[in-house]
């Protein structure tokens, strides 16, 4: 019934609400918590052929048979009358024969206990215990039939409050157990309990010293609230605009299992609901029932009165409705290792599995890949966050790798199916690298994926290299058969490495032998033209290339040049391969010197224009020296001379006015472009004559190459001439068998001998800085000089 607008609901320290009436100090006093032990009951329920104690019965059903007897001490002095009533609706009073009574002090069971059958149409059941007095049974019958809705609401509230109290008791019991045995574990156990029982924990308690944590958690029960969206504390729940008390403190029906009143361990002041039909003879007291097996112990918030008004103890019973098992959800983030005893199957969504005995005979059925099955018993543990497998016996050999686990049992009388789990047990198979063998490169971290039977059971992963100390590696489980990890090779050297994977409970790890390489070459592209017997590979670190296989051809490195940060490696074919056409897509297999191979796709380009060296002439520089050097024909170009050369185009190819010739040093450091504006002339449609001043290429020396440049692509490189720097000989003095050469830049000489075969040469040391050089006497008036810039060429010095 609605409360007067002047009434207000007060929160109190122990968690029970009271109603303050203006001027009524007695009602404003703080009522006591439900900590007073009352009488007990023994209740069993029979459905079909199954008999269950009341602690295992979440709800009753039509046709259930109940056996109810008061559990009183032998020296019980006061006589209690035990009454039961079935209720069928707030506006539909129950018939009188739905209300039964038993005189608990009688000796015969048929007189001191109740044997009941839930009638058709009943929706709720309430028990009463009242001191024996004349008229008590009739007064209760009139009260129940007069206002059945109040008793339905009261029964729902009492039953729900009892379930809330069971969760509080489960939390308190677990905390006290840790306090007495392992107080240091409270910091980890308390949050697990709070999650399992859907409670909001006072985190400040866990920041205290170990000795004070338990007492903090066990006091101020009003802070132990449900972690839901309705409330964050009892004060928020009980303050605000006054409304009908029953609605203000209402909660969902028991079958919800997961949505409860916004606080636990706190009982609504249900007694106020009975105020409308209390009388000077009887006062109704709410009770909480703590159910253990067939026993239902009653808790009171005040002592019952055996004088007028005498107390009527009201006991809420489970609702009469279809069983509605909770929807348990797996809280596992992946496969679960079952290699050790006591494996936990984490679940969430049903706090009552921890605080009540509704879920019974729970097992997990394991199904191996072979189809073989085995059932293992499990136990709900709030402090572990799920069901713990209680079997310690080793599993059959078939249960290895990933095994399916299905949680099931009974919820009261009904079959109860929980979630599925992926359990893993390690076998004898070794770990392997997923996919193709990886290319591990030093100087950086390398991602690695391993596959094996039971990644969830991996206890540690170690990296070993050579004789160095092992290094622990972090890893992540991927799917049901893989581990992902990163190998820290930033400071490592190339060579063999080992990855060791250790399972829980295994002494010896599984080892994988791998190899770490130096930074691989970067391959940008392969230039290949129709008709060429050579190709150009571009990229970086191409000095590591040992060879290339392409369409049956083997190409070998033939000179590396660098253009800024890009390497260009000339490759020359050894042997013939398949005939290639322009536009063909080919795959080159590039072999590196460390044994690795890399594939590179390339497209065959159009044939390049071809030119050949037709002729050349070398003119030495003008000199007034008394001892000029005699050059070996046109193979050597002195750095102060001049080169005139002619080239011919392939048959059928005519030169264009915009064609040019490029001359480049062997290392590519210097190049010159010869065009019509600087020394290039057409002699005919297919012949060009070019003049080269070697001073343009200074200070380089050594072999020079040339090629034709045009818009549709250059020709292949062709050898041209060797550019050499010459020493300046000023005088030669000979005595007996020895001579002395005087001059400048003598360091440009590699060796001197009196014969062209260099039988006993005088070798000039690197870095020679002198102006005199002792040499053998000539045999025929000539000295033979080998230059540093052209050691395959010999120049002649006439001394006679």
């Amino acid at each position: 019934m609605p409360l007067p607008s002047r009434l207000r609901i007060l929160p109190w320290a122990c968690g029970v609400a009271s109603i303050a009436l203006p001027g009524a100090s007695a009602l404003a006093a703080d009522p006591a918590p439900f900590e007073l032990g009352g009488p007990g009951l023994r209740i069993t329920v029979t459905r079909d052929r199954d008999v269950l104690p009341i602690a295992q019965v979440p709800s009753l059903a039509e046709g259930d048979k109940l056996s109810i007897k008061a559990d009183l001490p032998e020296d019980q002095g006061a006589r209690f009358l035990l009454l039961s009533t079935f209720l069928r609706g707030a506006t539909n009073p129950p018939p009188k024969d739905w209300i039964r009574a038993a005189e608990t002090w009688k000796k015969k069971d048929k007189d001191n206990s109740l044997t009941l059958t839930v009638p058709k149409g009943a929706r709720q059941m309430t028990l009463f215990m009242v001191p024996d007095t004349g008229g008590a049974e009739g007064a209760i019958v009139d009260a129940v039939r007069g206002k059945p809705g109040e008793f339905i609401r009261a029964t729902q509230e009492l039953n729900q409050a009892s379930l809330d109290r069971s969760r509080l008791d489960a939390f308190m019991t677990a905390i006290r157990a840790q306090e007495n045995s392992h107080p240091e574990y409270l910091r980890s156990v308390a949050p697990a309990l709070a999650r399992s029982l859907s409670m909001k924990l006072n985190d400040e308690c866990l920041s205290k010293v170990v000795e004070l944590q338990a007492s903090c958690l066990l006091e101020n029960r009003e802070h132990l609230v449900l972690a839901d969206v309705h409330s964050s504390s009892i004060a928020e729940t009980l303050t605000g605009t006054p409304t009908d008390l029953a609605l203000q403190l209402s909660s969902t029906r028991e079958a919800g299992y997961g949505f409860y009143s916004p606080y636990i361990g706190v009982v609504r002041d249900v007694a106020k609901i009975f105020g409308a039909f209390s009388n000077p003879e009887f006062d109704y007291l709410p009770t909480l029932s703590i159910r253990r097996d067939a026993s239902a112990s009653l808790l009171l918030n005040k002592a019952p009165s055996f004088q007028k008004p005498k107390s009527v103890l009201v006991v809420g019973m489970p609702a009469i409705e279809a069983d509605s098992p909770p929807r348990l959800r797996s809280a596992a983030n992946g496969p679960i290792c079952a290699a050790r005893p006591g494996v936990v199957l984490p679940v969430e969504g049903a706090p009552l599995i921890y605080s009540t005995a509704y879920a019974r005979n729970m097992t997990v059925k394991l199904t191996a890949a072979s189809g073989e099955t085995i059932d293992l018993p499990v136990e709900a543990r709030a402090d572990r966050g799920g069901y713990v497998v209680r079997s310690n016996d080793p599993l059959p050999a078939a249960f290895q790798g990933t095994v399916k686990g299905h949680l099931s049992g009974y919820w009261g009388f009904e079959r109860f199916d929980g979630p599925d789990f992926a359990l893993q047990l390690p076998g004898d198979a070794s770990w392997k690298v997923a996919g193709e063998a990886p290319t591990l490169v030093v100087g950086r971290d390398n991602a690695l994926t391993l596959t094996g039977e039971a990644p969830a059971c991996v206890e540690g992963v170690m990296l070993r290299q050579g004789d160095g100390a092992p290094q622990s590696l972090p890893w992540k489980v991927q799917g049901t058969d893989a581990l992902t990890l990163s190998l820290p090779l930033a400071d490592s050297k190339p060579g063999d490495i080992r990855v060791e994977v250790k399972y829980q409970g295994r002494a010896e790890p599984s080892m994988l032998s791998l190899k770490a390489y130096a930074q691989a070459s970067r391959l940008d592209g392969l230039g290949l033209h129709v008709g060429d017997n050579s190709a150009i590979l571009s990229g970086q670190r191409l000095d590591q290339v040992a060879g290339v296989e392409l369409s049956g051809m083997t190409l070998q490195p033939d000179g590396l040049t660098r253009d800024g940060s890009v390497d260009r490696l000339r490759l020359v074919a050894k042997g013939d391969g398949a005939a290639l056409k322009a536009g063909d897509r080919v795959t080159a297999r590039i072999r590196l010197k460390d044994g690795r191979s890399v594939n590179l796709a390339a497209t065959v380009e159009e044939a390049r224009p071809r030119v050949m060296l037709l002729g050349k002439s070398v003119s030495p520089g003008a000199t007034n020296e008394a001892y000029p050097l005699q050059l070996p024909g046109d193979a050597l170009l002195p750095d102060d001379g001049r080169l005139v050369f002619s080239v011919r185009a392939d048959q059928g190819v005519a030169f264009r006015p915009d064609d040019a010739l490029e001359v480049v040093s062997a290392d590519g450091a210097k190049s010159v472009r010869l065009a019509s504006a600087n020394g290039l002339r057409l002699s005919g449609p297919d012949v060009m004559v070019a003049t080269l001043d070697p001073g343009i290429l200074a200070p380089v020396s050594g072999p020079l190459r040339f090629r034709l440049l045009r818009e549709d692509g250059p020709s292949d490189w062709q050898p041209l001439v060797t550019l050499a720097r010459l020493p300046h000989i000023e005088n030669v003095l000979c005595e007996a068998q020895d001579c002395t050469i005087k001059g400048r830049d003598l360091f440009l000489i590699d060796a001197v001998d009196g014969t062209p075969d260099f039988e006993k040469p005088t070798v000039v040391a690197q870095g020679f800085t002198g102006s005199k050089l002792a040499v053998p006497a000539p045999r025929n008036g000539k000295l033979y000089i080998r230059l540093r810039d052209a050691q395959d060429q010999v120049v002649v010095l006439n001394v006679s």
Side-chain angles (χ1 to χ4, degrees):
M1 57 185 293
L3 298 175
S5 60
R6 291 180 295 171
L7 297 185
R8 57 191 178 91
I9 301 175
L10 300 176
W12 49 280
C14 292
V16 177
S18 64
I19 295 181
L21 292 171
S25 60
L27 289 176
D30 290 345
F34 282 71
E35 301 294 348
L36 183 61
L41 299 170
R42 296 195 63 81
I43 306 173
T44 59
V45 181
T46 302
R47 183 177 300 176
D48 298 330
R49 296 182 179 180
D50 296 326
V51 181
L52 294 182
I54 188 61
Q56 296 181 358
V57 181
S59 60
L60 301 173
E62 293 179 0
D64 283 352
K65 299 183 182 301
L66 290 90
S67 174
I68 306 172
K69 184 175 182 179
D71 188 9
L72 301 173
E74 294 182 359
D75 58 351
Q76 175 69 30
R79 293 181 173 182
F80 280 97
L81 186 66
L82 175 62
L83 290 93
S84 68
T85 178
F86 293 103
L87 303 165
R88 57 186 178 185
T91 60
N92 192 4
K96 290 184 178 181
D97 59 357
W98 282 17
I99 304 174
R100 300 277 300 278
E103 297 172 332
T104 61
W105 61 90
K106 294 295 182 67
K107 297 297 184 182
K108 295 183 179 180
D109 289 344
K110 66 177 183 179
D111 298 324
N112 63 18
S113 61
L114 296 174
T115 301
L116 309 171
T117 301
V118 178
K120 184 178 181 179
R123 293 294 176 265
Q124 204 74 42
M125 180 181 181
T126 307
L127 298 177
F128 303 92
M129 292 190 72
V130 57
D132 177 42
T133 181
E137 181 177 354
I140 294 176
V141 171
D142 292 342
V144 170
R145 300 191 73 247
K147 291 189 176 182
E150 301 294 348
F151 284 95
I152 289 176
R153 176 62 58 83
T155 301
Q156 291 174 342
E157 295 293 328
L158 290 176
N159 192 49
Q160 184 60 59
S162 296
L163 295 176
D164 288 348
R165 175 58 183 258
S166 72
R167 297 166 68 191
L168 175 67
D169 288 345
F171 180 85
M172 295 294 183
T173 300
I175 292 295
R176 290 191 180 101
Q178 293 296 331
E179 179 190 18
N180 295 333
S181 57
H182 298 287
E184 67 276 11
Y185 294 161
L186 281 177
R187 185 171 281 107
S188 60
V189 170
L193 287 170
R195 286 192 300 270
S196 299
L197 298 168
S198 294
M199 295 165 55
K200 182 178 179 182
L201 192 67
N202 184 359
D203 294 331
E204 294 181 0
C205 293
L206 300 180
S207 63
K208 298 179 180 294
V209 296
V210 172
E211 292 76 8
L212 300 179
Q213 289 176 7
S215 60
C216 177
L217 291 170
L218 296 175
E219 66 186 11
N220 297 327
R221 295 184 184 179
E222 68 271 18
H223 292 298
L224 295 173
V225 299
L226 288 184
D228 59 16
V229 298
H230 301 294
S231 170
S232 61
S233 70
I234 189 172
E236 293 176 9
T237 304
L238 298 180
T239 57
T241 305
T243 57
D244 179 81
L245 178 62
L247 295 179
Q248 172 78 9
L249 301 176
S250 65
S251 60
T252 59
R253 63 191 180 91
E254 178 182 327
Y257 301 121
F259 301 93
Y260 305 100
S261 57
Y263 55 97
I264 69 173
V266 179
V267 177
R268 288 68 111 194
D269 195 356
V270 184
K272 299 297 188 266
I273 298 177
F274 300 107
F277 46 83
S278 292
N279 55 59
E281 297 291 330
F282 298 101
D283 183 21
Y284 292 85
L285 296 184
T287 67
L288 294 185
S289 56
I290 307 302
R291 302 165 189 171
R292 297 288 185 272
D293 296 327
S295 173
S297 302
L298 303 184
L299 292 179
L300 313 175
N301 69 337
K302 68 176 181 179
S305 173
F306 294 91
Q307 298 178 349
K308 295 182 179 180
K310 294 185 177 182
S311 298
V312 178
L313 308 185
V314 183
V315 182
M317 290 287 285
I320 303 171
E321 58 192 1
D323 278 336
S324 180
R327 295 183 178 180
L328 275 181
R329 301 183 300 272
S330 170
N333 295 321
I336 301 170
C337 180
R340 290 179 174 173
V343 59
V344 178
L345 307 179
V347 295
E348 59 185 13
L352 290 186
I353 66 171
Y354 303 108
S355 63
T356 70
Y358 293 159
R360 61 185 183 88
N361 296 343
M362 297 297 294
T363 62
V364 58
K365 178 185 288 294
L366 302 185
T367 304
S370 62
E372 184 177 344
T373 63
I374 188 172
D375 290 319
L376 302 178
V378 294
E379 176 186 7
R381 289 280 300 273
D383 58 335
R384 303 287 298 277
Y387 279 96
V388 177
V389 178
R390 290 191 290 135
S391 175
N392 295 327
D393 297 332
L395 295 175
F399 293 88
Q400 294 182 355
T402 300
V403 176
K404 178 185 176 182
H406 179 70
L407 189 65
S408 64
Y410 287 89
W411 187 261
F413 291 98
E414 300 298 324
R415 176 74 180 178
F416 174 38
D417 283 300
D420 291 333
F421 299 89
L423 303 179
Q424 293 188 337
L425 296 100
D428 298 327
S430 300
W431 282 86
K432 299 179 180 180
V433 176
E436 296 184 1
T439 300
L440 306 177
V441 179
V442 298
R444 68 188 185 195
D445 292 346
N446 291 252
L448 186 66
T449 300
L450 305 179
T451 58
E453 285 184 324
C457 294
V458 171
E459 185 176 63
V461 180
M462 305 293 289
L463 173 65
R464 294 179 184 269
Q465 187 170 21
D467 297 330
Q471 183 178 359
S472 179
L473 300 180
W475 76 92
K476 290 183 180 179
V477 176
Q478 182 177 3
T480 59
D481 65 346
L483 291 179
T484 59
L485 46 107
S486 179
L487 303 182
L489 302 179
D491 299 323
S492 300
K493 295 181 180 180
D496 294 333
I497 62 174
R498 298 194 310 275
V499 176
E500 300 178 356
V501 181
K502 186 178 184 303
Y503 278 127
Q504 297 179 17
R506 295 279 183 89
E508 295 298 327
S510 173
M511 291 188 294
L512 292 89
S513 296
L514 303 171
K515 188 173 183 179
Y517 298 92
Q519 178 64 44
S521 302
R522 192 194 77 192
L523 306 176
D524 295 339
L526 181 67
L528 178 67
H529 293 266
V530 172
D532 283 358
N533 68 343
S534 63
I536 299 296
L537 181 64
S538 59
Q540 287 184 345
R541 298 294 308 275
L542 300 186
D543 56 310
Q544 299 184 37
V545 175
V548 177
E549 296 175 359
L550 173 67
S551 298
M553 292 187 296
T554 299
L555 295 93
Q556 299 294 334
D558 185 42
L560 176 67
T561 60
R562 287 184 171 84
D563 182 8
S565 62
V566 177
D567 290 355
R568 301 190 190 279
L569 180 63
R570 174 180 166 83
L571 301 165
V572 177
K574 304 293 183 182
D576 297 328
L580 301 175
K581 303 186 297 297
D584 285 351
R585 296 284 295 173
V586 295
T587 299
R589 187 167 184 82
I590 299 169
R591 292 180 290 104
L592 303 180
K593 293 179 180 178
D594 59 14
R596 286 175 288 176
S597 295
V598 183
N599 291 336
L600 180 65
T603 301
V604 180
E605 302 179 36
E606 295 283 350
R608 291 185 293 185
R610 293 183 177 273
V611 295
M612 60 179 293
L613 186 64
L614 188 61
K616 61 183 175 181
S617 60
V618 174
S619 301
T623 179
N624 297 323
E625 295 179 2
Y627 294 90
L629 296 175
Q630 182 181 337
L631 303 180
D634 58 4
L636 193 66
L637 174 63
D639 58 351
D640 59 352
R642 189 178 70 159
L643 174 68
V644 178
F645 65 99
S646 61
V647 298
R648 180 191 296 277
D650 263 2
Q651 186 177 2
V653 177
F655 287 122
R656 304 170 185 170
D658 59 348
D659 283 344
L661 292 177
E662 182 184 16
V663 179
V664 66
S665 61
D667 59 1
K670 276 283 190 174
S671 66
V672 60
R673 188 175 184 274
L674 302 176
S676 59
N678 64 340
L680 186 63
R681 296 289 186 272
L682 284 176
S683 174
D686 59 349
V687 176
M688 289 192 300
V689 179
T691 302
L692 175 64
D693 180 3
I696 303 175
L697 295 171
V700 301
S701 59
L704 301 181
R705 297 180 296 163
F706 80 95
R707 66 178 177 176
L708 176 67
L709 296 179
R710 58 172 37 176
E711 290 183 356
D712 54 357
S715 70
D716 198 4
W717 289 104
Q718 300 290 330
L720 180 57
V721 71
T722 299
L723 176 61
R725 297 164 296 170
L726 301 181
H728 299 279
I729 309 300
E730 299 173 351
N731 196 5
V732 179
L733 299 176
C734 293
E735 296 180 0
Q737 298 301 316
D738 296 321
C739 292
T740 300
I741 296 176
K742 296 181 180 181
R744 295 180 290 111
D745 299 334
L746 300 184
F747 61 85
L748 295 175
I749 300 174
D750 178 62
V752 181
D753 201 354
T755 65
D757 296 332
F758 285 81
E759 296 176 354
K760 295 181 179 181
T762 297
V763 178
V764 181
Q766 290 279 2
F768 179 76
T769 60
S771 60
K772 296 179 181 180
L773 182 64
V775 298
R779 294 183 182 180
N780 54 2
K782 294 181 180 180
L783 288 174
Y784 298 90
I785 299 176
R786 191 166 63 208
L787 301 174
R788 290 196 185 278
D789 293 340
Q791 296 186 20
D792 59 341
Q793 302 289 332
V794 178
V795 298
V796 178
L797 175 63
N798 292 309
V799 298
S800 57

